[in-house]
Amino acid sequence: MIAKTPPMGWNSWNTFGYDINETLIKEIADAMVAEGLKDLGYEYVVIDDCWSMRKRDAQGRLVPDPEKFPSGMKALSDYIHSKGLKFGIYSCAGSLTCQRFPGSLDHEFVDAKTFAEWGVDFLKYDYCYKPKDIDGRLLYRRMAMALRNCGRDILFSACNWGYDESHTWMRSAGAHMWRSTGDIQDNWESIKKIALSQLGKECYSGPYCYNDIDMLVVGMYNKGNVALGGCTDEEYKTHFSVWCFMNSPLMIGCDVRNMNEATKSILKNKELIAINQDPEGRQAYTVNSWHNSEVVHYIKPLANGDYGICSVNYSERRTWAHLEFWDIGLPTMAGYGLELRNLWTGENLGVQTESFASVLEPHACAVYRAKLVPVK
Ligand code: GAL
């Protein structure tokens, strides 16, 4: 089954935009393996917009740009598969993609067949140039149907930015993940805006179809296509933690050929990835802190009975992050406490009862795995 847990991989858009070619994609695939990202679950290598010619061929098929992809998409997909990775590509529900390459409108079945022949495993499907008089849900249903019948398992990654109330219909249309936000930029304001815009959409995310709050900017440091300011390592940590707790697909957006140690330690945090990939597939709910309404606690029920707890300081001041266990269903009289392990520092904090508080710098987070234990 596709997307039992949130999909993981890499996508070309955040760093490379228009500037993509087969050598780059092969080097990225090599780095995914060499860096151990593949073994951690990052499996899809996705080419975003700008890979095709501006016109279809005489049979109405999409044609890869021969200057960027001289060996063609089948050869590239074979290479990616030979590394034990999966191959993703991009198209659009409208007549053109966002960068004005041909879209799949009225070519859904031929395009799905073409993608299957190329060995595609993942299709990101955008929403630009959609005719106003056609209901968007019909276009996603149509491509979902084409993919389901193309003879290959292809993950359907819908990208209509949460427009047209898509949370109410995208899952049933057949998507395995759906973009519930506009585009991310490499800066703190964008991360905060996206994260807070998702409060209330938690229950639309679950196994086989996840809310996608856009690709990661971790490790970009203001370089590349969506680089608009850059972030500190602390902000990247918070960004990654929130994406893990919100069950977002984890699609890396930086240049994995050149990651520094901080970037590696964030993207390769196994215990955080385990929170994201927990088989129960539940998105976290949120609780506000007493002392500062801009401190949000994310609480994620996990399959083995543990809970993930992520406290984020979205404010501009150093502050207490105070979690009352009452707010998560655990009053003192219940006779239980929570044994906390900090997933960024590895520190064991012992059994806490009633409440727990830590001090957080602006934009920082603290992440715990909590085990329910009886207290005498
Ligand atoms: C946007 C989409 C981005 C990227 C871009 C390519 O609509 O949200 O993630 O795919 O198009 O042009």
Side-chain angles (χ1 to χ4, degrees):
M1 292 300 261
I2 303 174
K4 173 94 176 63
T5 57
M8 294 172 69
W10 176 90
N11 176 300
S12 60
W13 184 252
N14 279 5
T15 294
F16 298 99
Y18 180 87
D19 209 4
I20 47 175
N21 60 67
E22 66 184 36
T23 309
L24 167 76
I25 302 298
K26 283 179 168 177
E27 286 177 10
I28 294 286
D30 294 346
M32 300 279 287
V33 176
E35 286 294 348
L37 293 167
K38 179 193 143 233
D39 289 341
L40 288 163
Y42 295 97
E43 58 177 345
Y44 291 101
V45 176
V46 182
I47 302 177
D48 208 283
D49 204 348
C50 309
W51 58 266
S52 77
M53 295 294 282
R54 299 270 176 196
K55 287 212 160 23
R56 291 174 176 269
D57 70 9
Q59 286 74 48
R61 289 165 52 119
L62 291 167
V63 185
D65 182 334
E67 283 190 12
K68 294 177 174 176
F69 298 97
S71 316
M73 288 304 176
K74 179 69 173 74
L76 184 54
S77 128
D78 286 348
Y79 184 85
I80 290 171
H81 291 145
S82 77
K83 299 272 154 187
L85 294 162
K86 293 182 176 161
F87 176 45
I89 209 161
Y90 163 101
S91 190
C92 184
S95 51
L96 296 171
T97 72
C98 301
Q99 307 305 317
R100 303 184 61 82
F101 292 88
S104 290
L105 180 70
D106 290 338
H107 293 83
E108 291 85 354
F109 291 91
V110 65
D111 287 356
K113 202 160 159 271
T114 306
F115 296 146
E117 283 165 17
W118 289 347
V120 165
D121 306 295
F122 177 116
L123 176 68
K124 174 170 170 181
Y125 207 50
D126 220 326
Y127 209 49
C128 287
Y129 297 97
K130 180 198 82 83
K132 285 213 170 50
D133 55 346
I134 305 182
D135 187 335
R137 76 187 88 186
L138 303 184
L139 300 180
Y140 280 95
R141 286 178 188 164
R142 195 189 297 171
M143 185 47 107
M145 190 184 286
L147 291 175
R148 268 164 205 269
N149 290 281
C150 72
R152 202 177 157 83
D153 282 342
I154 299 184
L155 185 154
F156 190 27
S157 161
C159 177
N160 92 327
W161 323 297
Y163 280 24
D164 301 333
E165 301 286 296
S166 54
H167 59 285
T168 62
W169 52 265
M170 203 52 109
R171 183 185 190 92
S172 52
H176 298 105
M177 55 192 258
W178 64 283
R179 268 279 296 284
S180 50
T181 72
D183 286 16
I184 196 165
Q185 296 170 349
D186 180 22
N187 59 56
W188 170 254
E189 290 66 35
S190 171
I191 290 167
K192 175 176 171 181
K193 184 170 154 212
I194 286 181
L196 296 180
S197 77
Q198 294 306 289
L199 299 178
K201 298 232 177 95
E202 296 82 356
C203 58
Y204 298 102
S205 193
Y208 311 115
C209 185
Y210 291 94
N211 296 8
D212 170 9
I213 57 176
D214 208 358
M215 294 149 328
L216 298 166
V217 294
V218 176
M220 288 187 63
Y221 299 106
N222 203 23
K223 279 200 219 98
N225 190 39
V226 303
L228 281 155
C231 296
T232 64
D233 289 335
E234 207 54 46
E235 290 167 342
Y236 285 140
K237 249 179 166 169
T238 300
H239 162 43
F240 188 72
S241 306
V242 172
W243 265 234
C244 285
F245 272 71
M246 294 182 70
N247 271 2
S248 184
L250 298 178
M251 302 301 291
I252 299 173
C254 70
D255 184 350
V256 290
R257 298 169 306 173
N258 298 303
M259 295 183 290
N260 68 12
E261 289 310 312
T263 300
K264 291 182 193 179
S265 72
I266 296 172
L267 294 174
K268 297 190 198 179
N269 184 319
K270 279 193 187 152
E271 289 179 294
L272 256 298
I273 294 174
I275 298 264
N276 177 263
Q277 295 291 304
D278 186 76
E280 181 95 7
R282 280 184 210 278
Q283 191 172 315
Y285 64 86
T286 56
V287 170
N288 280 95
S289 179
W290 282 11
H291 293 78
N292 183 334
S293 61
E294 284 198 285
V295 171
V296 178
H297 302 286
Y298 295 83
I299 316 291
K300 189 172 186 317
L302 303 171
N304 73 342
D306 289 358
Y307 278 75
I309 301 175
C310 171
S311 309
V312 176
N313 181 4
Y314 285 109
S315 81
E316 297 305 318
R317 62 185 168 91
R318 186 168 200 256
T319 187
W320 282 103
H322 190 119
L323 177 66
E324 273 297 312
F325 291 177
W326 171 273
D327 283 333
I328 62 172
L330 198 63
T332 326
M333 67 222 185
Y336 287 88
L338 295 176
E339 188 176 353
L340 299 180
R341 175 181 159 75
N342 185 316
L343 301 190
W344 282 116
T345 65
E347 196 187 347
N348 215 317
L349 292 143
V351 180
Q352 307 291 326
T353 53
E354 230 168 308
S355 66
F356 183 72
S358 41
V359 174
L360 293 180
E361 299 296 330
H363 312 176
C365 71
V367 179
Y368 307 98
R369 187 157 180 138
K371 192 175 218 29
L372 188 71
V373 291
V375 284
K376 287 167 208 114

